Amino acid sequence: MKQLRIRTLAGLFVVAAVLSWSGARLWDSVGTLPRVPLAAPIVLAVIAVVLLSTALSLRSRLRAQRERRPGAKGVEPLMAARAVVFGQASALVAALVAGMYGGVGAFLLEFLDIPPRRDQAIYAGLSVLTGIAVIAAALFLERVCKLPEDDDEDGQAAPAI
């Protein structure tokens, strides 16, 4: 399984932000702008907490298993692989969502003197921050589940989960 690249996530963020900003300008010229829901940063924060708690749990279980503590609960490889896939998918979606809200938030910066639009800009900014938290938690989870590098007979490193 390949590791997530920051460059890929940043590219998704930028493309989504540019498309969202231009879409917000177009939508605003036609009529009203769609709302940024208050639930967006809350849902992203919950996902970040789930990813972080999963990573911390797996890290402690892997450490106990490595140190051969009595009664240590091991980690099944398939469970670790599923956790990594969940983290990678969450990071990709969070990059898109954060980019989308970042573009809308950048557009709304022009209208901070209007209280409803100021609130929408705040929600968009919080969504971007919690999206970054999801990405950070997913990268941490991926790092926790990474297999130690081991040289094969060919001199190539073993693939990580």
Side-chain angles (χ1 to χ4, degrees), residues 62-133:
L62 287 169
R63 182 178 295 145
Q65 188 177 8
R66 255 192 327 269
E67 294 172 357
R68 300 190 191 280
R69 292 184 192 156
K73 199 173 184 183
V75 177
E76 293 182 29
L78 188 58
M79 185 182 86
R82 286 179 181 158
V84 170
V85 168
F86 172 62
Q88 288 182 346
S90 297
L92 291 169
V93 170
L96 286 171
V97 169
M100 182 186 75
Y101 286 127
V104 170
F107 172 75
L108 289 172
L109 288 177
E110 300 172 18
F111 306 102
L112 290 179
D113 54 336
I114 303 169
R117 292 222 173 170
R118 181 178 46 238
D119 293 343
Q120 296 297 303
I122 291 170
Y123 298 156
L126 289 173
S127 297
V128 171
L129 291 176
T130 53
I132 292 169

